[in-house]
Amino acid sequence: FLLNGTKVLLENGFSATGVLRMMQVFRLFPSLASVFDHRLLLAEAMEKANLKGEAIAEYGAMTRLEGLTSAQQALLQNRIATLRK
C-alpha cells in the first residue's frame, strides 16, 4: 500500500522525507487524508522533523475530522498545548 513506503522512511529516521511523501500521497488520494491514524502519523512526523508550526496546524486541522472520539480529541488538544509551550 502507498503509505507503507512512508512508514519505512519514518521508521528509519527520514522524517522530513516521510512528511513530503505522505503529503504527496494525501494529494493523490484525498480519501486517505480523512483517516485519523494517517493524519496522526503525519503530524507526529512533522514534530520529529522540527516542523512545529506545521504540526500545530495539522493537529488543528485534525480536530475538524468527522467522527472523532473524545479520547482522540483530548489527544489532539494535548499535543497542540504541548507544542505551543
Side-chain angles (χ1 to χ4, degrees), residues 26 29-39 62 65-68:
F26 286 171
F29 302 96
S31 63
L32 294 177
S34 64
V35 178
F36 179 83
D37 290 337
H38 297 163
R39 297 281 294 271
M62 289 172 65
L65 288 175
E66 292 182 23
L68 291 180

Side-chain angles (χ1 to χ4, degrees), residues 50-74:
N50 294 318
L51 300 170
K52 184 178 173 181
E54 289 83 351
I56 290 171
E58 184 62 27
Y59 287 128
M62 289 172 65
T63 62
R64 295 184 290 279
L65 288 175
E66 292 182 23
L68 291 180
T69 66
S70 58
Q72 290 170 330
Q73 290 172 348

Side-chain angles (χ1 to χ4, degrees), residues 18-30:
V19 166
L20 292 173
R21 178 67 179 142
M22 187 168 285
M23 291 175 74
Q24 180 184 26
V25 169
F26 286 171
R27 278 192 292 275
L28 294 172
F29 302 96

